[in-house]
Amino acid sequence: MKTTLTNSRAVVAVYQGRTDVFNINNGLRQGDALSTVLFNLVLESALLKIDLRGNISTRTKQLCAYADDVVVIARTQKALKETFIIIQKEVEKQGLLINANKTKYMQVTRKTKIIKQDIEGTRKS
C-alpha cells in the first residue's frame, strides 16, 4: 500500500486542456484498484456486525451484497430499520456515507400489493 501511495501525482482534464501536475497527499487516485479493496474491507466489517444467527428459515433478516450494493431482507419493518441503522452507524465510523437518494425499500406481503418506498417511508410509483 505504501508503495502505491508514495509520490502519487495527477493531472486533471479541464475545458481548456489540463492542469499542471500536482501531488496527491491523501486519499487514492480515482479508479485506483486499492480503493475497491479498502471499500470492501470497510463494508464487510460493517456487515459482520449484523446478527445473522439461525438458518434461512428462522432468521429475521438476511443480507445479500455485491460490490457496493447491499440488499437487506427482513421479516418485519422493525428488523429492517434496525439493520439499516447498524449498517449506517458502522460505515460512518469508517468515514463512509450511505446515499439516501439511492436507498430504497420494498414491502411485500401475502395480503397486500407491492409498495415501493424510500427509506423515510414516502411512497414511490
Side-chain angles (χ1 to χ4, degrees), residues 48-110:
L48 287 174
K49 302 291 183 179
I50 307 299
D51 179 11
L52 296 174
R53 287 179 290 177
N55 62 45
I56 195 165
S57 65
T58 61
R59 288 184 190 149
T60 59
K61 55 196 160 283
Q62 297 179 56
L63 300 176
C64 300
Y66 179 77
D68 63 345
D69 294 320
V70 177
V71 175
V72 179
I73 303 166
R75 293 184 185 266
T76 66
Q77 192 170 13
K78 179 182 177 189
L80 177 68
K81 286 183 180 182
E82 288 171 354
T83 304
F84 175 79
I85 289 168
I86 291 168
I87 294 170
Q88 185 176 32
K89 285 180 181 178
E90 292 300 320
V91 299
E92 284 178 356
K93 286 180 187 177
Q94 302 297 326
L96 298 179
L97 298 174
I98 295 175
N99 185 336
N101 292 327
K102 293 183 178 180
T103 303
K104 308 287 181 223
Y105 77 91
M106 180 172 60
Q107 179 179 350
V108 180
T109 69
R110 293 180 185 158

Side-chain angles (χ1 to χ4, degrees), residues 4-56:
T4 301
L5 300 175
T6 303
N7 298 322
S8 291
R9 300 172 70 181
V11 294
V12 176
V14 293
Y15 180 71
Q16 298 163 335
R18 295 178 179 216
T19 65
D20 293 333
V21 175
F22 58 92
N23 292 325
I24 300 174
N25 299 319
N26 58 9
L28 299 171
R29 292 178 297 226
Q30 185 173 357
D32 192 315
L34 187 57
S35 65
T36 304
V37 173
L38 293 175
F39 174 81
N40 285 332
L41 289 171
V42 169
L43 183 59
E44 181 180 9
S45 71
L47 297 181
L48 287 174
K49 302 291 183 179
I50 307 299
D51 179 11
L52 296 174
R53 287 179 290 177
N55 62 45
I56 195 165

